Amino acid sequence: MRFAFLAKLFFILAASLAIVACGSSGKKKQRFAYVERPVEILYDLAVKDLERKRYDRAIAYFEEVERQHPYSAWARRAMLMKAFAYYQGNDYEEAVTAVDQFLALHPGNKDAAYAYYLKAMCHYERIRDVGRDQEFTNNAVEALNDVVRRYPDTEYARDARLKLDLTNDHLAGKEMYIGRFYLKQNKHIAAINRFKKVITDYQTTSHVPEALLRLTEAYLELGIIDEARAAAAVLGYNYPGSRWYQDSYRLFEQRHIVAEGSEPTRRKPEKLKEQAQSVENIDPDSLRAIEPPSPSEMEALEPSDNLPENPLEEARDEL
C-alpha cells in the first residue's frame, strides 16, 4: 500500500517537472528528425512556412537544407533566408549572427548587398528613444554607411541614405536632450559643447535651429554677449522665419541687451543676420566661449546612460 502511494507520488512529481520544464524552456528552436529529402522539397517547405509566418518552422527547414545539402547553391540561399526569417520574427541578434555567417562564407555572393542591408535593418529596428542609450543607433549608422559605401548604386543604398538621415536626426536629438538637461542644471560649459556638436556634426538635421537658440541662451547666461550675438546671427541668417529666431531676439530683449552692435536703438530681428555665416561654413572655434574643460572635468560632467525620464523634476525634488 505504501509502495503504491510512493509510486503515485513519484509519477505526479515527474509529470509536474515535465510541465514546468516545457513552460520554462522559452522559445526553443524547432527540430526535425533527420529524414533525407530532395533539396527542392525542403526549401519549398521552408518558404511556405515563411509565407504563413511560421518562422520557427521555416528556420528549421532552412537549416535542414544546409545540413543535408551543404555544398549546394540552395544551402547558400537558405542561409540568407534563415537570417530573414529571424528578422521577420523580431529575433534580431540571431539574424545578425546568421548574416555574419553568410558574409564570412560567401563575401562575393550576388546577394551580399542584401545581406549588408538586412544587418543594418536589424540595428535600425532596435533604435530606442533619445532618453536611453543609443548603441543601436550608432550601430545602425555604421551598418547603413557600410551599405552606401559598398553598394552605392543599388536600391539598398538609396533606402540606406534615407534611413541615415533619420538616424542622424535621432543622434542629434540625443545631444539636444543631454544639452537641455545640462542647461537646466546650470552646467553651461557642458551644455555648450553638446549644442555645438549638433551644429557642427549634424548640420542637416531638424535640431540645428534649436541648438543655435540654446547656444545663444547659454552664452547669455554666462554673460558672454559677443558669442551670443554671433550664434543668434547665424540662426537669423539660416532660419530667418523660424520661431527659434524670434525666441533668440526675445532673450536679448529680456536682458535689455541690444541684439547686435552698440546702437541705442534696437534693431529688428532681420538685422541680426548681417555678416552672419551659413551653417555649413561654421568654424567651431568661432562660436567657442571659453576653452573646453579638461578630460577629468568632462568625465565629471558626463551623464550616465540611464538619465532620468524627467531630469528637471528630479532636480527640483532634490532641491
Side-chain angles (χ1 to χ4, degrees), residues 231-243:
V234 173
L235 177 57
Y237 182 85
N238 291 276
Y239 307 97
S242 68
R243 67 183 181 89

Side-chain angles (χ1 to χ4, degrees), residues 2-206:
R2 185 179 178 183
F3 177 78
F5 173 76
L6 290 175
K8 186 176 182 180
L9 180 62
F10 177 78
F11 176 79
I12 293 172
L13 288 173
S16 299
L17 288 172
I19 293 172
V20 170
C22 292
S24 63
S25 62
K27 189 177 180 180
K28 284 191 173 183
K29 287 186 176 181
Q30 182 84 39
R31 297 293 183 189
F32 297 127
Y34 185 87
V35 178
E36 189 170 349
R37 304 180 192 180
V39 64
E40 295 88 350
I41 293 177
L42 286 172
Y43 193 89
D44 184 60
L45 289 170
V47 171
K48 286 180 179 178
D49 278 325
L50 188 61
E51 291 172 348
R52 294 167 183 165
K53 299 182 180 181
R54 299 173 180 172
Y55 301 122
D56 290 342
R57 288 177 59 85
I59 290 166
Y61 277 123
F62 285 131
E63 288 179 340
E64 281 299 299
V65 172
E66 295 179 61
R67 180 167 62 157
Q68 295 188 24
H69 308 276
Y71 304 111
S72 66
W74 294 92
R76 292 192 295 272
R77 183 67 177 171
M79 191 180 297
L80 189 55
M81 290 301 292
K82 178 179 69 175
F84 176 70
Y86 277 126
Y87 169 78
Q88 288 291 88
N90 300 325
D91 195 344
Y92 300 118
E93 284 298 331
E94 288 291 345
V96 170
T97 300
V99 168
D100 286 340
Q101 181 185 14
F102 174 82
L103 291 172
L105 294 175
H106 313 290
N109 188 274
K110 63 183 181 64
D111 293 318
Y114 174 73
Y116 279 104
Y117 176 77
L118 181 60
K119 182 177 180 178
M121 290 303 298
C122 288
H123 295 304
Y124 182 83
E125 294 288 352
R126 290 182 286 177
I127 291 177
R128 298 191 281 187
D129 64 85
V130 295
R132 305 179 68 182
D133 179 69
Q134 296 301 301
E135 179 185 2
F136 291 127
T137 312
N138 289 318
N139 290 341
V141 169
E142 182 179 353
L144 289 167
N145 276 319
D146 213 17
V147 174
V148 174
R149 179 175 58 84
R150 291 174 181 271
Y151 308 98
D153 300 324
T154 63
E155 60 178 319
Y156 306 120
R158 287 192 291 273
D159 190 62
R161 291 187 186 96
L162 294 175
K163 287 182 168 56
L164 272 172
D165 290 339
L166 296 174
T167 51
N168 284 326
D169 199 84
H170 199 79
L171 289 173
K174 175 69 172 183
E175 296 296 329
M176 291 299 300
Y177 175 83
I178 299 173
R180 292 189 211 99
F181 174 76
Y182 281 144
L183 196 59
K184 293 297 183 181
Q185 297 296 313
N186 294 320
K187 297 178 180 178
H188 298 97
I189 297 173
I192 285 170
N193 287 332
R194 295 291 180 170
F195 298 140
K196 282 165 55 179
K197 183 176 177 65
V198 173
I199 295 167
T200 56
D201 294 353
Y202 303 105
Q203 295 178 356
T204 60
T205 68
S206 61

Side-chain angles (χ1 to χ4, degrees), residues 210-229:
E210 185 186 355
L212 286 164
L213 169 66
R214 302 302 177 191
L215 195 60
T216 302
E217 182 180 355
Y219 284 143
L220 287 173
E221 290 288 340
L222 290 171
I224 308 173
I225 308 304
D226 288 341
E227 282 77 4
R229 287 191 180 117

